[in-house]
């Protein structure tokens, strides 16, 4: 909220509204998220005290292992606590079901934990890359980036917009088509990112406009792979279901 407010105030006062980097939001949201995850797990584990120490020790070992493999404080701090809260909520839910009782707040806690797990994994494990084509010389040429092969099909230019048509290949098979656009809007040029959805990740393709280059035009593309987006939707649906069940009782 603070980051968004600063940007809006700068724009309203006539200043240059610079977008704040992800590190700003990670720094100020991390303590609050950690506290919420600990509270969600501890509240759920009140009737399951015998599981508290094994889970805590397991998450501590996971944190040390993660730090050895990848010393990213955001990933190391949140991922073990997110799994801790998810397991605690799942245990509480199973215990209630065995007793023939059902409490919606377990689903709410579980949904929030899964949502945060999706946020952490999609942010920490995201991959970024880029590729450029010479048009029209490289029409039909395939280039590899981030485990995918992109084939330039065409460049469509209209007044106020440019569109790149691409074939997306993985393991030698065509898995989709994409058409990222670059448009001239009221407040300046902006890209319309194309998204190719896969079972466990999303492929984002951004095009920032063609530029003249060596007797043709250069078509640069930014490519991002965002893993586990389905965890975000699953967390939202589970938490929403828990809220509805709690309100109906």
């Amino acid at each position: 909220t603070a980051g968004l407010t600063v940007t809006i105030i700068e724009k309203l006062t006539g200043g240059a509204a610079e977008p704040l980097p992800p590190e700003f939001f990670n720094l100020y949201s991390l303590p609050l998220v950690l506290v919420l995850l600990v509270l969600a797990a501890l509240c759920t584990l009140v009737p399951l005290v015998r599981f508290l120490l094994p889970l805590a020790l397991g998450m501590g070992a996971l944190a040390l292992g993660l730090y050895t493999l990848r010393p990213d404080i955001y990933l190391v701090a949140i991922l073990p606590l997110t799994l801790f809260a998810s397991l605690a909520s799942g245990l509480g839910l199973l215990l209630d079901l065995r007793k023939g009782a059902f409490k919606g707040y377990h689903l709410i806690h579980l949904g929030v934990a899964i949502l945060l797990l999706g946020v952490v994994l999609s942010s920490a494990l995201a991959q970024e890359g880029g590729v450029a084509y010479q048009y029209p010389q490289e029409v039909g040429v395939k280039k590899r980036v981030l485990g995918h092969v992109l084939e330039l099909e065409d460049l469509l230019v209209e007044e106020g917009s440019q569109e790149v048509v691409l074939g997306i290949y993985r393991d030698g098979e065509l898995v989709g088509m994409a058409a990222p656009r670059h448009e001239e809007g009221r407040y300046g040029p902006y890209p319309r990112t194309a998204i190719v959805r896969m079972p466990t990740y999303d492929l984002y393709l951004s095009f920032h406009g063609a530029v003249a280059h060596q007797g043709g035009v250069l078509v640069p593309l930014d490519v991002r792979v965002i893993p586990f987006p389905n965890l975000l939707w699953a967390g939202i649906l589970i938490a929403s279901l828990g809220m509805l069940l709690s309100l109906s009782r």
Side-chain angles (χ1 to χ4, degrees), residues 162-207:
Q162 301 174 9
E163 180 177 279
V164 182
V165 182
L166 300 162
I168 314 297
Y169 294 82
R170 187 170 178 86
D171 298 327
E173 296 184 2
L174 180 67
V175 295
M177 300 291 295
R181 296 174 63 91
H182 176 76
E183 298 187 352
E184 294 288 339
R186 180 178 177 183
Y187 299 104
Y190 64 95
R192 283 189 177 274
T193 301
I195 303 175
V196 180
R197 303 197 184 279
M198 304 292 183
T200 58
Y201 65 91
D202 286 345
L203 182 68
Y204 285 66
L205 300 158
S206 298
F207 172 48

Side-chain angles (χ1 to χ4, degrees), residues 102-113 115 235-249:
F102 184 81
K103 298 181 178 65
Y105 71 81
H106 285 310
L107 278 181
I108 297 174
H109 290 171
L110 181 61
V112 171
L115 172 62
I236 292 172
L237 290 174
I238 292 172
S240 300
L241 178 60
M243 293 178 189
L244 291 174
L245 292 174
S246 298
L247 291 174
S248 64
R249 290 178 177 269

Side-chain angles (χ1 to χ4, degrees), residues 204-218:
Y204 285 66
L205 300 158
S206 298
F207 172 48
H208 296 279
V211 294
H213 182 72
Q214 297 180 354
V217 293
L218 189 67

